[in-house]
Amino acid sequence: MKKSLSISDASRETGLSQKQLRSYEARGYISEPFKVRCGEIAYRRYTAQHIAEIKAFKRFVDEGFTLQAASKKIKEKV
């Protein structure tokens, strides 16, 4: 994997849509990626640690945990 991934690459890697990634980030369910500024625009960049966290979050949700419970479980592991 590259050092960091764009949101579209993170979406492909995790199986979550870009909209879901943005929503879960905004709600605090997953860690905020770091941002790279290019002029007025800030691009999200996801590290391997972000991707692992998102995959774990998705796995818990797929197992039937609520979004809040899945978020709590991944934060307990950190």
Side-chain angles (χ1 to χ4, degrees):
M1 184 183 331
K2 302 175 193 174
K3 280 193 170 203
S4 68
L5 299 175
S6 67
I7 193 168
S8 62
D9 291 337
S11 174
R12 273 192 295 279
E13 187 75 25
T14 63
L16 294 175
S17 71
Q18 293 179 36
K19 185 175 181 178
Q20 286 173 307
L21 290 171
R22 288 185 191 99
S23 173
Y24 295 160
E25 173 195 333
R27 294 176 175 177
Y29 294 142
I30 59 174
S31 297
E32 186 176 320
F34 69 93
K35 306 261 173 71
V36 175
R37 292 198 77 59
C38 183
E40 297 290 316
I41 301 171
Y43 295 96
R44 288 171 171 81
R45 299 301 297 182
Y46 296 84
T47 64
Q49 184 175 345
H50 288 116
I51 299 301
E53 176 188 316
I54 294 165
K55 285 180 176 181
F57 176 81
K58 183 179 183 307
R59 189 172 50 252
F60 289 132
V61 171
D62 290 347
E63 290 174 2
F65 288 91
T66 65
L67 297 175
Q68 292 162 330
S71 178
K72 185 177 178 183
K73 287 185 78 62
I74 61 170
K75 289 177 181 167
E76 288 171 354
K77 287 187 172 189
V78 174

